[in-house]
Amino acid sequence: MNILHWYAVVMKKSYMIETKGYAAQDAKTPLAPWSFQRREVGDHDVKLDILYCGVCHSDLHQIRNEWGGSIFPMVPGHEIIGRVSKVGNHVHKFKLGELVGVGCLVDSCRQCDNCKHGLQQYCTGGSSFTYNSYEQDHTTLTYGGYSKMVVVNEDFVLHVSEKLPITGVAPLLCAGITTYSPLRHWKIGKGHKVGILGLGGLGHMAVKFASSFGAEVTMLSTSRSKEADAKKLGAHKFVLTTNDEYVNKVKGYFDFIIDTVSAPHDYNLYLSLLKTDGIQICVGVPPTPAEINGFSLLGGRKSLAGSTIGGLPETQEMLDYCAEHNIISDVEVIAIKDINKAYDRMLKGDVHYRFVIDMASL
Ligand code: NAP
Ligand code: ZN
Ligand code: ZN
């Protein structure tokens, strides 16, 4: 190392903040406490002291490297609620002490057409995700919300109303926006019959939003035990998808299906439940590719579509909608030491309906 390089490393370190979190060191080891560094608050940055962070099935897919390309050590977490504890010199949108949120994105190229239209989730220049990703300098790794604090550019921080219980607000930052966005994009509401496939974190938010938008909502679930809950969440009907007799009754029935399933499943079966011109919208991302029979699509001119999270303007719109209509996630608050047990329960479909980590337990 020459003297200049050494000086640059020392200077960079002196502009870093020491913090703590829970990390996976590789795809096979459970999450454990880990100390690491965040960047110092820059002119346009906001520092959040994290209060709660939701637990998404994507966290589990990524720490286990089920989608490939995972970067370790990994601090997961992209449903972050916190209070502003420091702002940069040029930050005007946020004040000290304000309640704020950070979702799946912490930056994007800001130049491409999608970024210019507020669709940062489809940034073609490469967005910076909250963890398992790189900042726009393409060298600094991002670390997520299972931690004490985070520093984020103010353009990727969201205003959160003080009106709602904040434990239930955290999951809106991913489960909420991921289901709100396709429902809005396809203008799903009054007069539509919509099936929500899978009653987990995303599924329960999809039921709440679709019923709030006026659609007739049917829960399509593999778990008989979730029927009463589905109805309480706002579903009008419940179909146990492991029972052929019940499934046959809803063949050709739906205008839309929102598919939130995290594990491999038979897409052709669910396409058969759509009406002519019906659309199955995939938000769940099973680890293995799906087999689609062409006949499942062409008979009935059906579409299989996808959607991911939402851009910053739409995420703010969703948070404001929730504050106005009293919509929150149903959560089970856990201590961070119980995160690995929570993942095991998530794999068994035993989540009612989102785990949220109380970061004071770290
Ligand atoms: P989750 O809470 O674990 O819920 C998944 C639900 O899928 C389960 O509760 C279960 O519901 C159902 N399910 C599980 N295995 C199944 C199987 N073999 N066949 C049929 N149904 C099954 O997960 P989540 O956090 O909601 O995430 C769901 C998926 O969405 C994950 O793949 C995640 O990575 C992905 N995701 C995508 C985005 C995006 O931007 N598109 C954002 C967040 C998450 P029942 O008991 O009712 O059957
Ligand atoms: Zn997520
Ligand atoms: Zn872009």
Side-chain angles (χ1 to χ4, degrees):
M1 194 185 284
N2 68 32
I3 185 87
L4 279 176
H5 188 191
W6 174 83
Y7 183 72
V9 169
V10 169
M11 286 310 287
K12 191 173 174 200
K13 282 207 160 164
S14 67
Y15 286 106
M16 302 292 271
I17 311 172
E18 287 292 330
T19 190
K20 280 196 289 193
Y22 258 54
Q25 297 297 330
D26 58 61
K28 300 254 180 278
T29 317
L31 255 63
W34 188 55
S35 295
F36 63 106
Q37 296 174 321
R38 304 266 195 199
R39 70 167 183 269
E40 187 44 276
V41 180
D43 282 348
H44 299 277
D45 287 337
V46 171
K47 176 173 168 250
L48 283 67
D49 288 346
I50 301 174
L51 298 169
Y52 293 97
C53 184
V55 179
C56 180
H57 206 116
S58 303
D59 301 344
L60 187 56
H61 288 310
Q62 291 176 92
I63 58 161
R64 297 199 175 165
N65 197 17
E66 291 177 349
W67 294 335
S70 287
I71 315 163
F72 296 99
M74 187 191 303
V75 178
H78 56 207
E79 294 182 338
I80 302 170
I81 291 287
R83 284 205 186 270
V84 175
S85 56
K86 193 169 178 184
V87 292
N89 293 329
H90 297 155
V91 169
H92 302 297
K93 291 188 224 158
F94 298 96
K95 291 193 291 289
L96 282 182
E98 195 178 333
L99 193 62
V100 290
V102 173
C104 301
L105 295 165
V106 289
D107 212 340
S108 68
C109 87
R110 302 172 185 238
Q111 311 289 328
C112 73
D113 268 3
N114 287 336
C115 281
K116 284 182 186 155
H117 289 94
L119 295 169
Q120 295 89 351
Q121 76 275 36
Y122 302 121
C123 170
T124 54
S127 26
S128 300
F129 293 98
T130 305
Y131 67 88
N132 193 24
S133 180
Y134 289 97
E135 297 283 0
Q136 290 298 299
D137 64 7
H138 304 294
T139 55
T140 310
L141 248 175
T142 58
Y143 297 115
Y146 296 8
S147 58
K148 285 272 178 214
M149 50 72 82
V150 64
V151 177
V152 182
N153 183 288
E154 66 168 330
D155 295 335
F156 287 76
V157 180
L158 296 139
H159 296 280
V160 171
S161 162
E162 297 274 356
K163 209 178 113 187
L164 300 173
I166 52 175
T167 50
V169 173
L172 302 178
L173 275 314
C174 175
I177 185 60
T178 301
T179 48
Y180 181 94
S181 183
L183 288 165
R184 285 304 199 205
H185 177 76
W186 276 279
K187 302 186 172 49
I188 299 172
K190 231 177 160 51
H192 290 134
K193 292 185 166 71
V194 55
I196 308 297
L197 183 52
L199 185 47
L202 267 55
H204 92 292
M205 289 312 306
V207 170
K208 290 190 185 211
F209 285 132
S211 62
S212 170
F213 298 165
E216 184 206 278
V217 181
T218 302
M219 188 69 235
L220 302 165
S221 171
T222 59
S223 308
R224 189 189 292 275
S225 61
K226 294 180 183 171
E227 177 165 2
D229 282 354
K231 300 230 168 108
K232 262 191 249 153
L233 293 164
H236 305 96
K237 300 181 181 184
F238 181 91
V239 174
L240 184 66
T241 54
T242 50
N243 180 311
D244 292 347
E245 197 188 317
Y246 299 155
V247 171
N248 285 336
K249 285 192 187 145
V250 286
K251 287 261 158 116
Y253 186 77
F254 297 106
D255 298 288
F256 298 95
I257 289 175
I258 310 280
D259 180 347
T260 77
V261 174
S262 51
H265 56 289
D266 183 4
Y267 288 73
N268 302 292
L269 170 67
Y270 299 107
L271 285 165
S272 75
L273 309 187
L274 292 171
K275 283 181 191 165
T276 303
D277 288 330
I279 306 177
Q280 179 170 342
I281 303 158
C282 300
V283 289
V285 195
T288 48
E291 270 186 26
I292 314 288
N293 188 325
F295 288 110
S296 304
L297 293 167
L298 57 86
R301 197 166 51 195
K302 294 170 185 174
S303 306
L304 188 60
S307 180
T308 196
I309 48 172
L312 272 294
E314 194 177 41
T315 307
Q316 189 63 62
E317 175 194 306
M318 179 271 316
L319 288 169
D320 297 345
Y321 182 90
C322 289
E324 199 186 325
H325 295 86
N326 281 314
I327 295 177
I328 51 166
S329 167
D330 291 23
V331 302
E332 182 176 337
V333 178
I334 59 165
I336 196 150
K337 68 175 174 42
D338 294 325
I339 183 62
N340 297 299
K341 276 187 244 159
Y343 286 145
D344 291 341
R345 282 183 53 195
M346 181 185 258
L347 273 178
K348 292 186 199 133
D350 176 22
V351 188
H352 309 277
Y353 280 90
R354 197 61 143 183
F355 289 118
V356 169
I357 304 165
D358 179 354
M359 220 44 77
S361 65
L362 177 62

